[in-house]
Amino acid sequence: MDFREVERRWQRRWKEARVFEPEVSERKKFFITVPYPYMSGSLHIGHGRTFTIGDIIARFKRLEGYNVLFPMAFHVTGTPVLAIADAIRNGDERVISLYRDYVRIYEDDEKKIEEIVESFKNPENIARYFSEKVIEDFRSMGYSIDWRRRFNTAEPIYNRFVEWQFKKLNERGVIKKGKYPITFSPEDGNPVGEDDIEDGDTNKVTIMEFTAIKFRYEDGYLVAATLRPETIFGVTNLWINPHGEYCRVRVGDEIWYISREAAEKLKYQKENVVIEDCMPGKNFVGKYVKEPVDGRDVPVLPAEFVDVDNATGVVYSVPAHAPYDYQALVDLKKNREYLRELGLSDEIVDRIEPIKIIDIKGYELPARDICERMGIEDQRDPRLEEATQIIYKDEFYSGVLNEKCGKFAGIKISEIKDEVKTWLKDMNMGDVFYETSRKAVTRNGHKVIVAVLQEQWFIDYSLQWWKDLGHKATDRMLFHPEKYREMMHGIIDWLNRRPCARKRGLGTRFPWDREWIIESLSDSTIYMAFYTIAHLIRESNIPAEKLTEEFFDYVFLGRGNAEEVSKRTGIEKDTIERMRSEFIYWYPNDLRHTAPAHMSNHLAFFIMHHVAIFPEEHWPGGISLNGLMIREGAKISKSKGNVIPLAHISTRYGVDLFRLYCAVAADLDTVMDWKESELSSLRKRFEKFVSMLEESVNSEGIEEDQMNHYDRWLLSRFYRRYRDSIEMMRSLKIRDAMLNMIFHFSNDIRYYEKHAGEERRRRIMRNVIEDLLKIISPVVPHVAEELWHMLGHDSFISLETLSAPRHDLIDDRIEREMEYVDSLISDIREIIDVAKIEPKKIYIYTAEPWKWEIFRAIKDSSPKTAIRDAMNAGVSVDKGEIVKFVKRMLKEKMGYFEIDERSVLEREKDYIERETGAEVIIDSSYDPKAKKKLALPLKPAVYIE
RNA sequence: GCGGGGGUUGCCGAGCUAGGUCAAAGGCGACAGACUCAAGAUCUGUUCCCGUAGGGGUUCGCCGGUUCGAAUCCGGCCCCCCGCACCA
């Protein structure tokens, strides 16, 4: 078979006959989506896996009788396409050569390639060029996509849809504007992402929220930052670095004293921050500040461990619970000379005693206890970090605030921490100060700090009602593999406020603030709804302006009426009604197939946005996922140079072969390793399988009354596999189904041929070929279509429906008999091998009838009652013999199944002789080694000479 | 750190949600035989260890437990992978 020719022919005919363009009908429907690809380049085999699996599912659903919609569109919003166009415009050689390579996949003429890449200076051309190519690529992969419904995410009609989405979200009160902390580089004046940070990929930088507590000092506050605001009740003093530089800072109408570094950072976190004047840290030493809760006076003391470049550069001391504080205090008390140098009296430190505010089992005074246990003797000891971690963890989970903590007394830290924080803020005793989790610089060596965006639009996923709905949907949906359901629950819990607008990139303008562009993950959440009407918008040539809020309200939510909407928008009433019914018919999206990488963003938003906007009956039906594809053990990436473009599949491998490989190489949820060697061995086996099928096309099947025992065996095997495979496909065990139907069944065929010969194999295969082709057609549609037509059908197998499995042909007995013979043959082989015999004659002895009687009697017995049951079977044989026999049977763990051993052996005598190369004699009275008595039911005794 | 997943015989990889029929599917690799002048391809067999009669022994990350019986259930430990937001 000329696979390439076959692929092209059927792709052409599918297109001509519009077989994958489903219409609204009475039939049950199935709406499957695979996320649209991002159009910044061409797609490769790795992407191909996901789309291929999606297509296999779509095609299988058609076989099950569903009216299947599988649409596709193109994602172009966001910054990457823009960035690429910029780079090409700026003559960035790396990018230009990368894009030359991409274009070279499709074009031969170097001049033309140059022209095309030149045109990429305009980002729209990039999107357009690759969209067109992807359509070709997907067609060449045989994907059963309805292309009438395609669109790209930068089109005006789609922008209108995204605007509508945001208006609906706003109705629900989840679109908010406010402050938002991000990592930021003051020198670059830009936000920095993980990619921009030195070692950001390996050593993550997260944003920590410190509570800044205001201690009254002179005309303002000395502001100390802490991650443990609940310890404020145990504060004994403040620590300041005497060598640091501290500033008087005007923050709104307050005066704060913090380190210079902190002041610089604060400018990016609060409005109206002005540094007024700076002084050395030691100026503060020995002064007293007022602790805000009880108004106690506490001293400011010097400490070397205080880092002016961490948070506010001022920390408060809780020596009872913080190892650093405890140790610093101990050091200070020991070091009188140092005190004098700084002009401090002994008394100021001697008066300080740790205030214990947390009760916890196993500690008397936690900070002291841990320092003593670890043998820490100095505040510069690096193990203090570890000690802090230990105390923090223990206190957090099992510590309880004691009577010194006012209204928080008696509550566990883990339960009260956030409340203390809010309380401090509400009482204006505290504020928030953000700091990075570690000192970080950008790749150009610029300092990374936390900035707070003051006017950021975001979607507030933290709302409880919303999360509740998300969980509810997650509980009802289908997840495959099932383990992702748990993960989704976790992700929904973790979701928080998320910025949804940016200043740059392609996309939809923010409806209430045209300077902003809706961020491109937020515009790709409920777009499956848009597929249901996209082709009608185009068909009727409806301009984007007419796609108003009330239009979408009616079509997607059934609000208002068509008459009115038609009048207001000028869109034909019929068209509007048609769109409404199209949406009603196809929605919800029954299955979304994609890769697990999208769980925490796309898929979570997919669920959340649906539950916020749509009524329950239109919530997502399910999510299925397949793992990554790697190649020869390595990640597939342009920089590794191991990319195989999707466009090369057809010529280099063959599309059906690729599809089959995707189906069988790995289970859906595991990583698939593309190995050239496996692929070539798969090709050989597949080609052989196909030509074996071709041989049967013109053969005549075998009538049922003409069938022999081997024919029935093969049909039994086939329909058992066919029945099982349908179930496997239903539960998306595509790999198991195909291994079963193609490879395991091939072994059956080979076995059959050994018994019945090649000619008869061709004929018996004609009996099953149509059902076989159907079940494998989702995976290898071109070959299946070709053979289907060779068999004389005019219909498309792609639109056929599965026949019910022939349960009447599944015959346990006949299969057991063959197993029996084969296990006997392998026993004989083993004996020959172990005993090193040149076999001439093989004597086979079947078990005596009384053994069968007992076998029958104990078939349902437990091991404990088997002997008793055997005794009661009424067999007149020596009791000792019976016990010995039953014990052996128990050991063999033989499953009960009754066959007439002797007649099976007689029938298969020739076969056994052929396989063993010796003469076979059954139940002879010649028994020189007294083997017969060793025979068990289903396990004959053997003597070889 | 938080959340999710996993460690299986030379390698890859099923089985482990419903414990026994599991020395454990399948593929790759290796070995032997058939075919061939030869190579390749194909087919057949073998591929944890021992064994001159179909048997025995030791395995499924480590330690322990439940059970007549565990790769499969429970507890602890070690190791590995993935995601963690303003980025598609």
Side-chain angles (χ1 to χ4, degrees):
Chain A
M1 191 180 282
D2 180 345
F3 291 99
R4 273 200 81 187
E5 207 269 318
V6 165
E7 284 166 19
R8 293 208 174 136
R9 178 163 62 246
W10 292 107
Q11 283 158 14
R12 198 184 65 235
R13 297 204 33 198
W14 290 331
K15 189 179 169 186
E16 285 165 2
R18 302 168 161 268
V19 294
F20 305 124
E21 299 182 3
E23 296 296 340
V24 171
S25 77
E26 294 298 303
R27 289 166 59 206
K28 56 184 179 176
K29 64 89 188 181
F30 190 82
F31 179 21
I32 180 173
T33 59
V34 178
Y36 41 40
Y38 190 75
M39 285 300 103
S40 57
S42 59
L43 301 177
H44 60 68
I45 50 174
H47 305 110
R49 183 184 185 196
T50 305
F51 292 107
T52 298
I53 300 293
D55 186 58
I56 290 171
I57 298 169
R59 285 176 174 273
F60 178 72
K61 287 292 166 183
R62 283 192 198 93
L63 273 181
E64 278 193 295
Y66 289 93
N67 191 19
V68 172
L69 172 57
F70 178 23
M72 188 54 61
F74 306 100
H75 194 197
V76 301
T77 43
T79 44
V81 169
L82 219 53
I84 292 157
D86 283 350
I88 291 176
R89 213 175 312 118
N90 295 335
D92 183 330
E93 266 312 314
R94 230 198 61 227
V95 175
I96 291 172
S97 93
L98 180 69
Y99 278 79
R100 275 190 202 124
D101 286 348
Y102 276 136
V103 175
R104 204 168 283 130
I105 295 168
Y106 305 102
E107 319 285 345
D108 294 327
D109 182 358
E110 285 297 322
K111 245 177 97 183
K112 196 164 170 212
I113 293 171
E114 237 14 78
E115 269 170 40
I116 293 170
V117 172
E118 179 72 20
S119 78
F120 287 174
K121 290 178 175 175
N122 178 350
E124 280 170 33
N125 290 336
I126 302 177
R128 187 175 316 118
Y129 183 78
F130 287 110
S131 307
E132 277 165 23
K133 293 305 165 189
V134 166
I135 295 175
E136 282 173 30
D137 289 352
F138 281 5
R139 276 217 171 92
S140 81
M141 295 300 295
Y143 296 157
S144 54
I145 291 169
D146 182 352
W147 285 112
R148 295 174 302 163
R149 300 165 189 263
R150 68 173 180 261
F151 56 86
N152 82 57
T153 56
E155 282 186 72
I157 53 171
Y158 187 74
N159 294 155
R160 301 293 283 172
F161 170 70
V162 173
E163 271 181 34
W164 175 78
Q165 181 200 188
F166 268 72
K167 286 173 181 164
K168 294 309 106 178
L169 291 175
N170 193 43
E171 276 178 18
R172 294 293 245 146
V174 302
I175 306 289
K176 294 179 180 172
K177 193 180 191 177
K179 298 178 182 167
Y180 198 82
I182 51 159
T183 44
F184 190 86
S185 161
E187 281 169 87
D188 300 334
N190 269 328
V192 291
E194 187 183 290
D195 296 339
D196 308 318
I197 296 173
E198 185 74 35
D199 299 328
D201 45 346
T202 49
N203 186 3
K204 272 192 74 72
V205 174
T206 55
I207 294 173
M208 317 258 286
E209 186 183 320
F210 281 78
T211 302
I213 294 178
K214 303 185 216 171
F215 292 79
R216 173 62 70 182
Y217 172 75
E218 295 183 353
D219 54 346
Y221 303 101
L222 194 51
V223 181
T226 180
L227 288 169
R228 301 189 59 188
E230 73 279 5
T231 57
I232 183 67
F233 302 103
V235 62
T236 59
N237 62 284
L238 258 48
W239 296 118
I240 204 158
N241 190 323
H243 311 298
E245 189 181 14
Y246 288 79
C247 300
R248 180 175 197 272
V249 184
R250 182 167 293 281
V251 180
D253 48 15
E254 289 178 357
I255 300 293
W256 288 17
Y257 292 89
I258 52 181
S259 74
R260 171 180 272 287
E261 288 80 355
E264 295 294 341
K265 291 173 194 167
L266 199 64
K267 285 190 196 165
Y268 291 91
Q269 297 190 6
K270 293 181 100 56
E271 288 170 305
N272 305 320
V273 174
V274 183
I275 300 177
E276 294 191 333
D277 136 52
C278 295
M279 61 216 86
K282 65 170 192 280
N283 286 13
F284 295 87
V285 170
K287 304 275 178 53
Y288 278 81
V289 297
K290 243 185 221 324
E291 171 272 323
V293 179
D294 300 322
R296 286 181 286 128
D297 286 324
V298 293
V300 180
L301 298 175
E304 303 293 330
F305 74 86
V306 174
D307 179 356
V308 290
D309 195 16
N310 186 38
T312 60
V314 182
V315 295
Y316 68 74
S317 172
V318 188
H321 302 285
Y324 273 111
D325 297 342
Y326 175 79
Q327 194 57 45
L329 189 60
V330 169
D331 291 357
L332 213 51
K333 284 184 179 181
K334 277 195 293 210
N335 203 341
R336 303 287 168 183
E337 223 164 285
Y338 181 63
L339 285 177
R340 232 144 280 143
E341 258 172 53
L342 288 158
L344 297 175
S345 65
D346 287 359
E347 187 218 23
I348 197 168
V349 294
D350 289 341
R351 266 203 347 229
I352 296 174
E353 281 307 322
I355 303 172
K356 188 183 176 190
I357 57 153
I358 296 165
D359 291 331
I360 176 170
K361 243 188 275 160
Y363 296 98
E364 197 189 319
L365 199 59
R368 183 195 65 202
D369 296 353
I370 192 93
C371 286
E372 284 174 0
R373 258 177 247 169
M374 292 176 74
I376 290 169
E377 287 176 348
D378 182 272
Q379 63 182 296
R380 278 174 291 253
D381 192 325
R383 285 173 305 159
L384 273 169
E385 194 54 47
E386 191 192 336
T388 303
Q389 293 293 326
I390 293 170
I391 291 292
Y392 182 93
K393 215 171 184 172
D394 284 354
E395 291 188 340
F396 185 77
Y397 291 109
S398 39
V400 175
L401 291 175
N402 70 15
E403 73 288 344
K404 295 206 180 69
C405 304
K407 63 174 182 169
F408 300 109
I411 308 178
K412 284 175 91 172
I413 311 280
S414 54
E415 289 163 13
I416 203 66
K417 196 181 188 76
D418 288 337
E419 262 177 69
V420 175
K421 213 190 260 183
T422 343
W423 174 70
L424 286 167
K425 275 185 231 167
D426 290 349
M427 303 298 285
N428 196 30
M429 294 188 272
D431 209 317
V432 176
F433 190 96
Y434 293 102
E435 184 55 278
T436 52
S437 57
R438 66 171 173 94
K439 295 240 161 52
V441 293
T442 66
R443 294 196 189 277
N444 338 322
H446 296 161
K447 189 172 177 180
V448 174
I449 64 158
V450 178
V452 175
L453 301 177
Q454 300 296 331
E455 298 271 286
Q456 176 66 51
W457 289 98
F458 56 86
I459 301 175
D460 189 359
Y461 293 106
S462 69
L463 300 163
Q464 198 52 49
W465 65 263
W466 200 1
K467 286 182 192 277
D468 290 344
L469 290 181
H471 285 302
K472 189 173 169 192
T474 301
D475 276 330
R476 296 183 182 182
M477 285 167 71
L478 171 125
F479 276 85
H480 184 89
E482 178 61 35
K483 66 183 179 189
Y484 288 107
R485 185 190 307 280
E486 245 345 272
M487 203 193 239
M488 184 54 78
H489 280 301
I491 289 166
I492 289 173
D493 283 333
W494 160 86
L495 282 175
N496 209 322
R497 301 191 310 169
R498 181 177 192 281
C500 61
R502 319 184 67 192
K503 293 273 182 179
R504 218 175 110 77
L506 297 175
T508 305
R509 298 219 164 256
F510 210 72
W512 310 283
D513 198 345
R514 310 301 285 185
E515 275 172 47
W516 292 87
I517 289 157
I518 290 171
E519 178 277 326
S520 80
L521 292 188
S522 307
D523 79 12
S524 301
T525 55
I526 57 163
Y527 66 91
M528 310 81 212
F530 198 67
Y531 284 130
T532 65
I533 61 165
H535 60 310
L536 297 178
I537 293 175
R538 242 184 268 286
E539 220 173 76
S540 311
N541 253 319
I542 302 172
E545 311 84 74
K546 291 189 177 179
L547 304 176
T548 61
E549 182 174 2
E550 54 183 345
F551 163 81
F552 286 118
D553 276 349
Y554 177 71
V555 172
F556 292 142
L557 300 175
R559 289 191 200 163
N561 65 76
E563 186 84 52
E564 195 66 23
V565 174
S566 172
K567 226 183 283 170
R568 300 270 195 93
T569 59
I571 304 170
E572 298 261 338
K573 183 176 169 232
D574 282 356
T575 309
I576 295 171
E577 292 288 22
R578 227 183 117 199
M579 288 179 178
R580 175 70 182 152
S581 59
E582 188 103 13
F583 173 77
I584 290 288
Y585 179 69
W586 291 114
Y587 239 60
N589 183 189
D590 297 289
L591 188 70
R592 182 155 183 75
H593 182 79
T594 179
H598 300 131
M599 281 292 289
S600 62
N601 43 52
H602 272 128
L603 291 172
F605 304 155
F606 166 61
I607 294 173
M608 294 300 275
H609 288 224
H610 270 92
V611 301
I613 295 172
F614 292 100
E616 270 183 57
E617 67 266 25
H618 289 152
W619 289 2
I623 289 173
S624 60
L625 303 123
N626 66 251
L628 202 70
M629 184 192 278
I630 57 176
R631 185 174 169 204
E632 314 289 347
K635 223 171 164 172
I636 298 177
S637 76
K638 200 79 196 165
S639 58
K640 284 209 166 65
N642 61 354
V643 173
I644 302 175
L646 217 48
H648 290 173
I649 293 294
S650 175
T651 46
R652 277 171 69 173
Y653 302 95
V655 169
D656 281 349
L657 181 70
F658 173 82
R659 296 175 60 114
L660 181 61
Y661 189 49
C662 285
V664 302
D667 260 355
L668 279 198
D669 58 327
T670 58
V671 173
M672 169 180 169
D673 192 359
W674 171 283
K675 290 184 190 156
E676 212 71 24
S677 64
E678 273 182 11
L679 203 64
S680 64
S681 94
L682 182 71
R683 161 180 287 140
K684 280 175 214 149
R685 292 193 296 155
F686 178 57
E687 285 178 356
K688 224 171 110 190
F689 184 73
V690 171
S691 55
M692 194 263 307
L693 293 180
E694 276 182 279
E695 287 175 14
S696 294
V697 164
N698 294 316
S699 299
E700 200 174 321
I702 301 170
E703 296 293 327
E704 284 195 29
D705 56 359
Q706 304 279 311
M707 280 180 192
N708 66 28
H709 159 92
Y710 299 118
D711 300 332
R712 281 194 287 273
W713 177 83
L714 188 77
L715 294 182
S716 178
R717 296 294 280 186
F718 177 79
Y719 280 107
R720 185 186 300 280
R721 294 192 188 285
Y722 180 72
R723 179 195 66 191
D724 294 348
S725 295
I726 291 173
E727 276 317 308
M728 291 169 186
M729 287 298 284
R730 280 196 181 127
S731 47
L732 298 184
K733 293 184 172 171
I734 297 169
R735 176 173 189 265
D736 291 336
M738 287 306 120
L739 287 178
N740 192 32
M741 228 47 256
I742 298 182
F743 302 108
H744 299 169
F745 183 55
S746 288
N747 291 340
D748 294 341
I749 297 169
R750 204 174 315 147
Y751 185 82
Y752 172 89
E753 195 175 313
K754 238 164 37 177
H755 285 93
E758 198 182 325
E759 181 49 37
R760 200 164 177 93
R761 182 213 77 205
R762 288 198 187 106
R763 293 188 58 200
I764 193 71
M765 283 304 293
R766 183 63 186 79
N767 289 49
V768 300
I769 191 167
E770 300 193 352
D771 286 333
L772 178 58
L773 288 176
K774 282 184 191 170
I775 187 90
I776 66 172
S777 69
V779 178
V780 289
H782 307 89
V783 166
E785 200 73 79
E786 177 73 5
L787 287 164
W788 183 251
H789 285 258
M790 282 166 72
L791 288 165
H793 294 286
D794 293 328
S795 60
F796 287 101
I797 200 170
S798 299
L799 295 177
E800 281 291 315
T801 304
L802 283 171
S803 329
R806 292 284 303 274
H807 294 284
D808 58 313
L809 294 177
I810 299 175
D811 186 333
D812 289 342
R813 167 177 301 272
I814 227 160
E815 292 186 41
R816 290 294 192 109
E817 286 177 0
M818 299 305 281
E819 274 170 34
Y820 165 77
V821 172
D822 287 320
S823 94
L824 175 61
I825 289 171
S826 92
D827 277 352
I828 292 171
R829 280 200 179 120
E830 192 181 341
I831 296 168
I832 291 170
D833 191 47
V834 172
K836 301 193 172 62
I837 303 171
E838 279 291 320
K840 305 254 170 5
K841 289 181 176 174
I842 298 169
Y843 295 89
I844 298 170
Y845 311 97
T846 57
E848 300 92 324
W850 67 267
K851 289 179 177 166
W852 270 100
E853 265 179 64
I854 290 177
F855 191 20
R856 240 167 266 145
I858 63 171
K859 67 180 189 221
D860 298 321
S861 304
S862 72
K864 286 175 177 167
T865 62
I867 291 182
R868 198 180 60 220
D869 295 339
M871 291 301 180
N872 294 337
V875 174
S876 50
V877 178
D878 177 70
K879 294 243 157 92
E881 283 289 302
I882 294 178
V883 172
K884 245 161 68 187
F885 167 70
V886 172
K887 280 187 174 162
R888 278 188 66 203
M889 289 301 284
L890 289 176
K891 208 168 150 201
E892 293 287 340
K893 290 181 275 197
M894 211 92 77
Y896 177 79
F897 194 82
E898 195 154 320
I899 62 174
D900 181 348
E901 296 186 70
R902 193 176 303 183
S903 69
V904 171
L905 290 172
E906 290 291 351
R907 195 180 67 209
E908 302 297 336
K909 190 164 165 249
D910 286 352
Y911 171 61
I912 301 169
E913 288 182 340
R914 249 183 295 136
E915 290 294 305
T916 57
E919 187 188 347
V920 165
I921 301 118
I922 297 156
D923 278 336
S924 165
S925 54
Y926 174 74
D927 185 11
K929 292 270 168 77
K931 293 287 183 186
K932 172 122 185 149
K933 66 177 198 311
L934 295 174
L936 297 176
L938 300 178
K939 194 169 170 63
V942 175
Y943 174 67
I944 302 171
E945 59 180 23

